[in-house]
Amino acid sequence: MGKEEKNYVHKESEDEMEIYGYKRCVWKLLLIVVGVVCSGGSLLLLLYWMPEWSVKATCTKTALKEAQIVLLRTTDEFRTWFRAKVYTLLTTGMDSMENSESQISKSVKNDEVLCPGQHHVEHSKKRLLRKISENQALMVRYFEHHSVTYFWNNDLQNFKDLKGLTEGISWSAIHTHYSNGLSKDLEEYRKLFFGANEVEVEVPSVFKLLINEVLNPFYIFQIFSITVWSFNGYYYYGVAIIIMSIISIVTTLHTVRKQYVMLHDMVAAHSTVRVSVCRADNEIEEALSTDLVPGDILVIPSNGTIMPCDSVLLSGTCIVNESMLTGESVPQTKISLPNPMKTSKGLEDDEIYCPENHKRHTLFCGTTVIQTRFYSGERVKALVVRTGFSTTKGRLVRSILYPKPTDFKLYRDAYLFLLCLVGVAAIGFLYTIIHSILNKVIIATIIIKSLDIITITVPPALPAAMTAGIVFAQRRLKKLGISCISPQRINICGQLNLICFDKTGTLTEEGLNIWGIQRVEDNSFLPSEHNICRESLVKSQFVACMAVCHTLTRIEGKLSGDPLDLKIFEETGWVLEEATEEETALHNQIMPTVVRPSKQPLPAVEAGMDCEMEMFDLPTTYEIGIVRQFPFSSSLQRMSVVARVLGGKQMDAYLKGAPEVIANLCKAETVPECFAEVLKIYTKQGFRVIALAHKKLGSRLTWHKVQNVSRDAIESNMEFMGLIIMQNKLKPDTPRVLKELGRANIRTVMVTGDNMLTAVSVARNCGMILPQDEVIIAEALPPKDGQVAQIHWLYTDDASKHLESATEIIDIKMENKGSGDGPHQKNHYHFAMDGKSFSVVTEHFQDLLSKLLLHGTVFARMAPNQKTQLVEAFQNMDYYVGMCGDGANDCGALKQAHGGISLSELEASAASPFTSKFANIACVPNLIREGRAALMTSFCVFKFMALYSIIQYLSVTLLYSELSNLGDLQFLFIDLAIILVIVFTMSLNAAWKELVPQKLPSGLISASLLFSVMSQIVISAVFQVTSFLAVKQQTWYEVWTPNSDTCSSSKLNITLTYNSTDIEDARNIKNYENTTVFFISCFQYLIVAIVFSKGKPFRQPSYENYPFVVTVMVLYIIMLFIMLYPVEVIDWVLELVCVPYEWRILMLIIIIINAVVSFVTEVVLLDLAPWKFLFKRKDLGLNQHTANNQQEVLEQGNKSCFSSVLGGGSRKPKARYRYLARELLIDPNWPPKPKTTTEANKPSTENSACQILTIT
């Protein structure tokens, strides 16, 4: 029988999930009820923890179309299960986008039209349901998961989420079929499917959070342990555990609820606004934004608004602030979607609308419309295409609410280790039962003793002990100005080996500063000038180009636009004036924007003035009108304008952009011969250089002709005018911090919403890309016109059309000249790509994605969801990824990263686990240092707690063989006075003062840690068993009774009086074996505490942890005093018996030998052993800023060499990025050669490999 075909939702996307249908089964449900009753509720807890088991145990599998419950499983490495209940909805149609007005009955006889099992719907939806007669109603099935609703699709025979108007809708269809608006009834019909247009974050009640926290397996085990102790009369330690658990639970609840409240407040702000909706009859209706559905027509007010949904602009122009999406507070101009029916080519220009591909026409939810422009009284209209959680803002919030799980090996290994302890406990459990039965112990005692051995082996205090180091690290972080809302992430930060940085506001200050200009006259450069506003330059073509070549606009009287354009314009000291709305409405054409010097007054118009007089001849007035703009193009790397001096007869063309690009568009005789050398001088110092050019246009070129002339015709045969030299100032701490991270072999990556040129320039300036390193632009193009997707590899010396200057060309050629082609020459290169290329690569070049990420350093023009995808992609390569940003656009990436730190206390802090109150990246190394210290503390504490449980397990097991046990106050003394005090003081070691290249193990299952734990277990067992057996071999030994007199010949006869009158010990606590085991085990706890308390290079040395030192010394003194100089009261309280003084001295000798052996094994054999140097990481002379991956690979190679000598052979690196780096070191075709193109295989090709073609 063939294998059943699997069904998927979100197939072939990052959110892909398998889906299975189930329906309830009565007899299975009854069996589960019986099982829950018989197990005392344990089975119910197990089913609560395992959703897939709960469904399979109570339901039977069925077809999806009949399912009452669906099981969802992610297809990523975590394979996480989710369950969802299927509901039914009563509607007049099955398609959310169909026009069902004709089916809606206007008369209703019965309001109760919902089926008995139907899911509750909002009151606003019921208005439509009351209009549906029962014979017209259709049942639509759906379920909700992670704030997304999935409806049954008969065509697909599967559940599918609603896409609104973003799936398969052409430009022409938008204008012809969707531009008239919806009627009220049709809007209500669609609202049944799409729901309210709101992005709502529900704040869980304290009770719900409490239940979720208390039902954690650790707390359930604590309840079990306390119950067992209560039956055993061991109340004191149980009370201590209860107090610690309550404190832990309250702290967790406060933190989690605070995080939900912050996110709720952030999302709720401006989420509901009043909007103007254009109905099908062309009437304007005021409504709440929550009532919007796809297909509604919004009228955008002239004074702007906050967009409550994703919509496409149908008419007019909008100035929009998209900082919520991009992090860049640069107003963007949105233009209306072209109507192919009105163009000359007609439907030949028709395209399928996609918000991500047509951002220039799309107004995204959460962005701010600052100002609108309309002509001749025409309204600015937009078509709603997505609402609620389907919008861009909604998806961002969903990525915060439901982040993909971060895999941390420590926690996985901790569970595995606990399972091992459970196995050990099972052995003790069976041993206790069998031994007790053979010795005819009563059943009640057998049950209590056998369960007690489990609570001893698996310490209930382990969660509190593991949390201690994190709590202390959190307090230290707070003193450093770093707040934390997810304390468990602190440990993970100790493993970070790759940090993604946002650029603007994170690495750099906001914007650019102009350093100076260098003009050209007579084909040669003049000396650099810093005073641009001086009078002699006011009427020069150079300053005119600076004043007119931009896309600036006035918004509420304030000049806004690209920061680069704004800075250049402000440097001229000129004034920009635009036509008012009233003036614009009087003309069919746009009134020109005018610029003029600020110091000249407006002249009065004199009667009889010759209108043909040129403005240059006027004594006081000089104004330039901008006739046409060709906006900046990232592919062309330039922009231009056509302008005219008011009153002049000729128009001028002005051009600015990347120097190499501008020089190629200019007449060769106007470009200085020393052009490349001058560029080198500036760019090598980290300046950003912009070139300017100009030319006079023919006098016959009229205003109407200019509007139709091609861009290429304007941007040719220009005259080179000179250079503008600009600085993108780094924050003072940026270079130092990046250098510190580089020394620690922590890779740094820039991911920004800014353009590629600025990003690469900043990466070089801050040291992220070193001067001698190559930059390779990966320009990926999607499939088009029958051609497959392609990647063009643009080396810096071949990318003159794509980079701003020849800086990198010159520097790289000079630095690499004669450097040879050695094995690690290949390491000094970096890939750079923008958001569009990243999308193409992730979709069409999956096999190349990891190779690009391995050396990817600059990721520009990245959308918020792309930042999150990038972080996830790095995580899939086994990097531990940190993210540092300051904007709302970074929220998803901050949440997804192993360690996200926000430099802003606004939107980003609601999603980020960490928030710095200081807006610089100095917090990053501080966080990593504290994370390493906390992780090292967790290792130490876990090892100590493991040894504590095993040592106590050995003690109890040995005493069980004599039908004895430790006394209650002995347990209490060990657990409270020794263990808890040691654990909390051991966790106080502060972080080491600097980051080191050495890395901590990521988990407990590593050779060094396992050897450390196992060796100490063996040592403790040997000395404890030896002492237990040795005491029986003493000449004075006998079965102890209250009348025993072994101390009569001893110097110590203090306890005889009491022992002679003591009542019979019913539980057989008092005996020589108990006293011996108690003393030996107590000292063993102190020995392993000292041995396991490690310091440098991740924590301060333990001798500087004064509370720990004092605690250990005091405990040693107390234990030595009790053992060597017994006091009757203390012996009575601890239920100890008197032993000869000679045996006390012998125990002291055994303890000293135990301490020496433990210390030598841990410190000498593990930390200082000669064999460890064979595996120690070596510095191979590679640059740590750029060759971290190859360095680790070569280190692994060295290890493999030694392993081969020792007979171990070559080992495959565990981390995927290390394995890939090793493979690429021997790949002769990587990195791709210059002037090559990589093509994706056609869809029909099964093999996913790509082809690299050489372009001649």
Side-chain angles (χ1 to χ4, degrees):
M1 190 172 176
K3 202 171 183 179
E4 184 180 355
E5 185 179 354
K6 291 182 180 179
N7 292 304
Y8 296 88
V9 291
H10 298 298
K11 192 170 184 179
E12 297 180 354
S13 72
E14 60 173 339
D15 298 322
E16 181 181 78
M17 291 182 292
E18 299 170 5
I19 182 171
Y20 305 92
Y22 289 85
K23 62 181 178 182
R24 295 179 186 86
C25 179
V26 177
W27 66 267
K28 281 189 174 184
L29 189 59
L30 291 175
L31 282 179
I32 291 297
V33 170
V34 174
V36 169
V37 173
C38 295
S39 64
S42 300
L43 179 59
L44 190 62
L45 273 175
L46 183 63
L47 297 180
Y48 171 80
W49 293 329
M50 309 293 289
E52 71 276 20
W53 290 9
S54 68
V55 173
K56 293 176 181 178
T58 58
C59 304
T60 55
K61 201 167 185 180
T62 186
L64 277 178
K65 63 181 179 181
E66 300 173 355
Q68 296 173 320
I69 292 175
V70 293
L71 264 183
L72 302 163
R73 183 171 68 173
T74 61
T75 55
D76 56 19
E77 59 181 307
F78 301 103
R79 312 288 285 179
T80 310
W81 287 94
F82 302 96
R83 61 173 291 170
K85 184 180 178 182
V86 177
Y87 299 103
T88 54
L89 176 67
L90 191 61
T91 71
T92 59
M94 301 293 291
D95 186 358
S96 61
M97 300 308 296
E98 71 176 282
N99 187 338
S100 61
E101 288 182 86
S102 59
Q103 302 177 34
I104 298 176
S105 175
K106 297 297 181 181
S107 60
V108 182
K109 296 181 180 179
N110 186 2
D111 284 352
E112 197 64 28
V113 295
L114 301 183
C115 293
Q118 188 174 342
H119 182 47
H120 174 70
V121 295
E122 296 87 347
H123 292 293
S124 60
K125 294 182 180 180
K126 289 185 178 179
R127 292 197 303 268
L128 179 68
L129 293 177
R130 294 191 184 102
K131 300 176 182 178
I132 304 174
S133 59
E134 293 202 12
N135 58 354
Q136 291 176 326
L138 296 173
M139 304 298 293
V140 180
R141 306 171 67 253
Y142 71 98
F143 69 89
E144 294 182 3
H145 173 67
H146 285 180
S147 301
V148 176
T149 305
Y150 299 83
F151 284 88
W152 178 254
N153 188 305
N154 279 325
D155 296 332
L156 299 176
Q157 287 295 295
N158 197 357
F159 288 94
K160 188 177 184 297
D161 61 320
L162 301 180
K163 301 293 185 182
L165 292 175
T166 62
E167 193 173 54
I169 309 295
S170 65
W171 289 7
S172 58
I174 287 175
H175 282 284
T176 55
H177 301 301
Y178 296 98
S179 60
N180 296 323
L182 305 177
S183 67
K184 190 66 178 176
D185 286 340
L186 186 52
E187 181 187 68
E188 289 180 355
Y189 168 76
R190 288 188 180 177
K191 194 172 181 182
L192 287 172
F193 291 89
F194 291 97
N197 173 37
E198 57 185 355
V199 180
E200 184 179 6
V201 177
E202 179 185 354
V203 179
S205 65
V206 175
F207 179 75
K208 184 177 180 180
L209 291 174
L210 178 63
I211 294 299
N212 290 338
E213 186 68 18
V214 170
L215 292 182
N216 184 290
F218 272 117
Y219 290 119
I220 296 298
F221 182 72
Q222 285 185 348
I223 294 172
F224 165 76
S225 301
I226 294 169
T227 304
V228 172
W229 296 337
S230 299
F231 282 108
N232 210 19
Y234 186 38
Y235 303 108
Y236 309 105
Y237 189 57
V239 172
I241 292 294
I242 290 173
I243 293 172
M244 288 190 297
S245 298
I246 290 174
I247 294 173
S248 176
I249 289 172
V250 170
T251 304
T252 303
L253 291 185
H254 173 73
T255 302
V256 172
R257 185 169 172 81
K258 181 181 177 182
Q259 186 175 3
Y260 269 107
V261 169
M262 288 176 61
L263 184 59
H264 175 271
D265 293 344
M266 180 195 81
V267 173
H270 310 295
S271 61
T272 303
V273 296
R274 294 203 67 85
V275 295
S276 298
V277 180
C278 185
R279 293 295 174 202
D281 53 7
N282 211 26
E283 289 185 3
I284 304 300
E285 179 182 295
E286 293 293 319
L288 288 176
S289 59
T290 52
D291 293 329
L292 294 175
V293 294
D296 272 330
I297 302 295
L298 285 180
V299 178
I300 310 297
S302 59
N303 58 347
T305 185
I306 294 177
M307 289 303 299
C309 56
D310 287 353
S311 55
V312 57
L313 199 58
L314 297 179
S315 60
T317 304
C318 291
I319 308 297
V320 182
N321 184 341
E322 293 187 329
S323 59
M324 192 278 290
L325 296 179
T326 65
E328 309 295 328
S329 57
V330 180
Q332 302 290 325
T333 300
K334 303 286 185 173
I335 62 175
S336 59
L337 187 74
N339 187 351
M341 306 295 290
K342 294 184 178 180
T343 61
S344 57
K345 294 184 179 180
L347 293 179
E348 293 179 10
D349 287 340
D350 206 5
E351 296 184 31
I352 300 299
Y353 171 70
C354 174
E356 284 69 34
N357 295 338
H358 301 115
K359 293 181 180 179
R360 197 176 181 188
H361 313 296
T362 305
L363 304 174
F364 292 102
C365 180
T367 59
T368 303
V369 177
I370 305 172
Q371 181 178 306
T372 63
R373 291 183 178 178
F374 55 90
Y375 313 113
S376 302
E378 184 182 5
R379 293 189 181 99
V380 178
K381 295 181 181 179
L383 171 67
V384 177
V385 294
R386 289 188 300 211
T387 58
F389 279 98
S390 298
T391 63
T392 307
K393 178 182 178 181
R395 285 182 293 173
L396 178 60
V397 173
R398 280 204 305 123
S399 69
I400 298 170
L401 285 174
Y402 316 107
K404 292 199 174 180
T406 52
D407 187 24
F408 190 40
K409 200 169 184 294
L410 171 66
Y411 299 131
R412 282 190 287 117
D413 289 353
Y415 282 110
L416 288 175
F417 202 87
L418 286 176
L419 286 176
C420 294
L421 292 180
V422 169
V424 174
I427 296 173
F429 180 81
L430 295 175
Y431 168 78
T432 303
I433 292 176
I434 295 171
H435 187 268
S436 299
I437 291 174
L438 294 176
N439 286 274
K440 299 180 179 180
V441 179
I442 61 175
I443 295 178
T445 304
I446 293 176
I447 294 174
I448 293 174
K449 279 191 172 184
S450 57
L451 293 177
D452 191 39
I453 199 79
I454 297 176
T455 66
I456 290 170
T457 312
V458 184
L462 183 60
M466 294 286 286
T467 304
I470 296 174
V471 171
F472 294 135
Q474 189 175 3
R475 290 175 56 187
R476 292 193 297 268
L477 284 172
K478 193 171 183 179
K479 292 179 181 178
L480 295 171
I482 302 173
S483 60
C484 173
I485 61 174
S486 182
Q488 294 301 323
R489 296 285 185 113
I490 297 176
N491 267 346
I492 305 180
C493 290
Q495 283 292 318
L496 297 182
N497 53 11
L498 185 148
I499 309 294
C500 296
F501 290 100
D502 183 33
K503 183 188 72 68
T504 307
T506 303
L507 297 175
T508 67
E509 304 286 356
E510 297 285 347
L512 293 166
N513 295 314
I514 292 184
W515 179 84
I517 62 173
Q518 190 141 15
R519 295 183 297 134
V520 171
E521 281 188 10
D522 300 329
N523 196 28
S524 62
F525 281 109
L526 298 175
S528 59
E529 303 168 85
H530 301 282
N531 184 10
I532 303 173
C533 296
R534 68 178 189 271
E535 191 173 347
S536 60
L537 292 178
V538 169
K539 294 186 178 182
S540 66
Q541 295 290 1
F542 192 96
V543 172
C545 184
M546 293 176 65
V548 300
C549 199
H550 54 70
T551 55
L552 300 178
T553 184
R554 284 199 173 276
I555 300 174
E556 296 182 355
K558 185 178 179 181
L559 206 58
S560 299
D562 186 280
L564 178 65
D565 289 344
L566 192 59
K567 202 71 184 179
I568 293 175
F569 182 78
E570 288 176 347
E571 197 70 20
T572 64
W574 284 38
V575 176
L576 182 143
E577 294 179 345
E578 290 181 317
T580 64
E581 293 179 7
E582 291 76 12
E583 292 173 329
T584 304
L586 295 175
H587 301 80
N588 289 326
Q589 60 193 32
I590 302 175
M591 294 289 290
T593 298
V594 175
V595 296
R596 59 179 175 81
S598 59
K599 293 183 179 180
Q600 65 177 12
L602 287 173
V605 180
E606 300 178 6
M609 180 179 290
D610 185 359
C611 294
E612 298 297 320
M613 182 182 295
E614 292 190 2
M615 297 300 283
F616 280 105
D617 299 329
L618 293 174
T620 57
T621 303
Y622 178 55
E623 297 180 339
I624 303 178
I626 301 174
V627 179
R628 189 180 180 190
Q629 296 172 330
F630 294 98
F632 176 81
S633 167
S634 57
S635 59
L636 299 177
Q637 291 306 304
R638 63 182 185 266
M639 75 157 295
S640 61
V641 297
V642 176
R644 181 175 186 170
V645 176
L646 298 189
K649 294 181 179 180
Q650 282 185 298
M651 295 187 186
D652 298 272
Y654 296 98
L655 177 69
K656 78 174 180 184
E660 279 290 311
V661 175
I662 302 303
N664 289 335
L665 296 174
C666 292
K667 299 174 183 176
E669 61 272 16
T670 65
V671 180
E673 295 180 1
C674 59
F675 170 75
E677 288 74 12
V678 172
L679 275 178
K680 176 184 175 182
I681 293 172
Y682 290 120
T683 54
K684 198 168 185 179
Q685 299 176 65
F687 292 110
R688 181 175 177 184
V689 183
I690 304 294
L692 305 183
H694 161 263
K695 77 172 179 181
K696 285 279 187 184
L697 299 177
S699 58
R700 295 185 178 181
L701 193 62
T702 63
W703 188 94
H704 292 284
K705 290 181 179 179
V706 166
Q707 304 308 313
N708 297 314
V709 72
S710 69
R711 182 169 189 162
D712 292 338
I714 297 294
E715 298 174 350
S716 61
N717 294 319
M718 307 291 286
E719 296 181 3
F720 192 82
M721 292 198 298
L723 307 172
I724 302 175
I725 301 97
M726 309 192 74
Q727 283 180 309
N728 192 190
K729 284 189 177 180
L730 296 170
K731 290 186 176 181
D733 290 320
T734 296
R736 175 188 63 79
V737 170
L738 293 182
K739 187 176 181 180
E740 182 180 0
L741 295 174
R743 284 198 302 265
N745 282 344
I746 297 173
R747 185 179 162 197
T748 54
V749 170
M750 184 188 298
V751 49
T752 176
D754 207 345
N755 66 67
M756 176 75 75
L757 305 180
T758 305
V760 172
S761 174
V762 171
R764 285 197 179 277
N765 293 346
C766 67
M768 197 176 283
I769 298 176
L770 296 183
Q772 69 271 20
D773 292 352
E774 187 82 73
V775 176
I776 306 173
I777 307 292
E779 186 184 65
L781 303 176
K784 190 175 182 181
D785 299 332
Q787 295 184 346
V788 296
Q790 298 180 338
I791 302 179
H792 299 301
W793 306 104
L794 308 169
Y795 278 61
T796 48
D797 54 354
D798 294 319
S800 60
K801 294 183 180 180
H802 299 268
L803 290 178
E804 58 163 312
S805 70
T807 311
E808 295 84 359
I809 306 169
I810 299 166
D811 288 348
I812 291 169
K813 285 182 177 178
M814 295 185 67
E815 296 286 348
N816 289 348
K817 185 179 290 186
S819 60
D821 196 20
H824 56 264
Q825 180 65 22
K826 296 174 64 176
N827 302 336
H828 297 280
Y829 64 91
H830 303 259
F831 287 112
M833 69 176 76
D834 58 19
K836 290 182 179 179
S837 297
F838 179 76
S839 296
V840 174
V841 170
T842 53
E843 184 176 354
H844 300 284
F845 297 92
Q846 278 290 332
D847 55 328
L848 288 183
L849 179 61
S850 297
K851 296 181 180 180
L852 287 170
L853 295 182
L854 189 68
H855 278 275
T857 302
V858 176
F859 297 86
R861 292 298 186 200
M862 298 288 280
N865 63 314
Q866 290 177 323
K867 291 186 178 184
T868 306
Q869 292 169 12
L870 178 66
V871 169
E872 188 180 344
F874 278 126
Q875 290 172 336
N876 291 337
M877 293 176 66
D878 293 335
Y879 280 108
Y880 285 96
V881 184
M883 174 71 194
C884 184
D886 68 331
N889 62 311
D890 300 317
C891 287
L894 290 169
K895 189 78 172 181
Q896 178 64 37
H898 291 106
I901 181 164
S902 168
L903 303 186
S904 166
E905 297 186 11
L906 300 176
E907 296 95 339
S909 63
S912 176
F914 304 94
T915 302
S916 173
K917 68 178 182 180
F918 303 111
N920 60 66
I921 64 171
C923 57
V924 174
N926 288 336
L927 178 61
I928 297 175
R929 287 191 305 106
E930 290 296 344
R932 289 183 173 185
L935 184 58
M936 188 67 192
T937 298
S938 294
F939 285 140
C940 296
V941 169
F942 196 94
K943 289 161 62 178
F944 174 71
M945 293 298 289
L947 261 295
Y948 148 65
S949 63
I950 294 298
I951 290 172
Q952 195 168 84
Y953 170 80
L954 290 170
S955 302
V956 172
T957 304
L958 290 173
L959 293 176
Y960 275 3
S961 68
E962 299 293 324
L963 296 180
S964 179
N965 198 354
L966 292 172
D968 289 347
L969 292 176
Q970 288 177 343
F971 273 121
L972 189 67
F973 178 80
I974 293 171
D975 293 340
L976 285 184
I978 296 180
I979 303 303
L980 288 184
V981 176
I982 287 291
V983 163
F984 287 116
T985 55
M986 177 192 287
S987 304
L988 290 172
N989 285 49
W992 184 237
K993 58 188 176 182
E994 62 183 26
L995 286 176
V996 293
Q998 291 96 319
K999 298 292 191 300
L1000 274 165
S1002 59
L1004 295 166
I1005 312 300
S1006 63
S1008 60
L1009 287 174
L1010 286 177
F1011 181 82
S1012 173
V1013 171
M1014 296 306 298
S1015 62
Q1016 295 302 324
I1017 288 175
V1018 171
I1019 293 169
S1020 299
V1022 167
F1023 282 96
Q1024 197 170 150
V1025 172
T1026 300
S1027 303
F1028 179 79
L1029 297 176
V1031 70
K1032 294 183 178 182
Q1033 304 302 318
Q1034 302 303 308
T1035 55
W1036 47 264
Y1037 176 80
E1038 62 181 8
V1039 176
W1040 185 88
T1041 65
N1043 297 319
S1044 294
D1045 192 20
T1046 57
C1047 295
S1048 60
S1049 60
S1050 172
K1051 295 180 182 179
L1052 300 172
N1053 198 20
I1054 300 173
T1055 61
L1056 274 177
T1057 304
Y1058 176 76
N1059 288 339
S1060 62
T1061 60
D1062 196 10
I1063 61 173
E1064 185 178 356
D1065 184 11
R1067 296 170 59 192
N1068 192 25
I1069 301 298
K1070 292 185 176 182
N1071 53 63
Y1072 300 120
E1073 292 90 340
N1074 171 284
T1075 301
T1076 300
V1077 168
F1078 174 77
F1079 281 128
I1080 296 296
S1081 63
C1082 285
F1083 278 104
Q1084 285 180 335
Y1085 298 134
L1086 297 177
I1087 290 168
V1088 295
I1090 295 173
V1091 168
F1092 285 156
S1093 186
K1094 301 290 182 67
K1096 293 189 297 184
F1098 305 112
R1099 303 196 306 169
Q1100 296 286 356
S1102 293
Y1103 57 78
E1104 293 187 9
N1105 182 355
Y1106 301 118
F1108 176 73
V1109 173
V1110 171
T1111 298
V1112 171
M1113 291 178 63
V1114 169
L1115 287 173
Y1116 263 116
I1117 292 171
I1118 291 174
M1119 288 305 305
L1120 288 171
F1121 178 78
I1122 294 174
M1123 187 175 75
L1124 299 178
Y1125 298 95
V1127 178
E1128 183 177 356
V1129 175
I1130 297 176
D1131 283 356
W1132 174 74
V1133 170
L1134 293 177
E1135 300 182 82
L1136 301 173
V1137 300
C1138 183
V1139 296
Y1141 191 77
E1142 293 79 7
W1143 178 241
R1144 298 174 188 271
I1145 297 298
L1146 186 57
M1147 282 194 296
L1148 180 61
I1149 294 172
I1150 292 174
I1151 290 165
I1152 292 173
I1153 296 173
N1154 187 346
V1156 171
V1157 173
S1158 295
F1159 182 82
V1160 169
T1161 303
E1162 182 72 18
V1163 177
V1164 177
L1165 295 183
L1166 274 177
D1167 295 341
L1168 303 176
W1171 63 265
K1172 189 170 183 180
F1173 284 101
L1174 297 178
F1175 298 93
K1176 186 177 180 181
R1177 296 191 171 196
K1178 301 181 182 297
D1179 183 7
L1180 299 177
L1182 296 180
N1183 186 281
Q1184 292 176 344
H1185 288 73
T1186 58
N1188 294 330
N1189 301 311
Q1190 278 72 13
Q1191 182 175 357
E1192 293 184 14
V1193 168
L1194 292 175
E1195 288 165 1
Q1196 291 286 332
N1198 287 339
K1199 293 181 183 180
S1200 298
C1201 293
F1202 289 114
S1203 299
S1204 299
V1205 173
L1206 297 172
S1210 178
R1211 285 191 306 137
K1212 177 182 176 180
K1214 292 182 179 178
R1216 297 175 194 174
Y1217 71 89
R1218 288 181 181 173
Y1219 176 76
L1220 180 61
R1222 173 188 285 185
E1223 295 297 312
L1224 293 184
L1225 279 175
I1226 57 176
D1227 186 349
N1229 297 319
W1230 194 264
K1233 303 296 186 294
K1235 297 183 179 180
T1236 60
T1237 295
T1238 301
E1239 290 187 348
N1241 279 326
K1242 295 181 179 179
S1244 58
T1245 306
E1246 293 183 3
N1247 188 359
S1248 61
C1250 301
Q1251 308 174 34
I1252 299 182
L1253 307 175
T1254 302
I1255 299 176
T1256 56

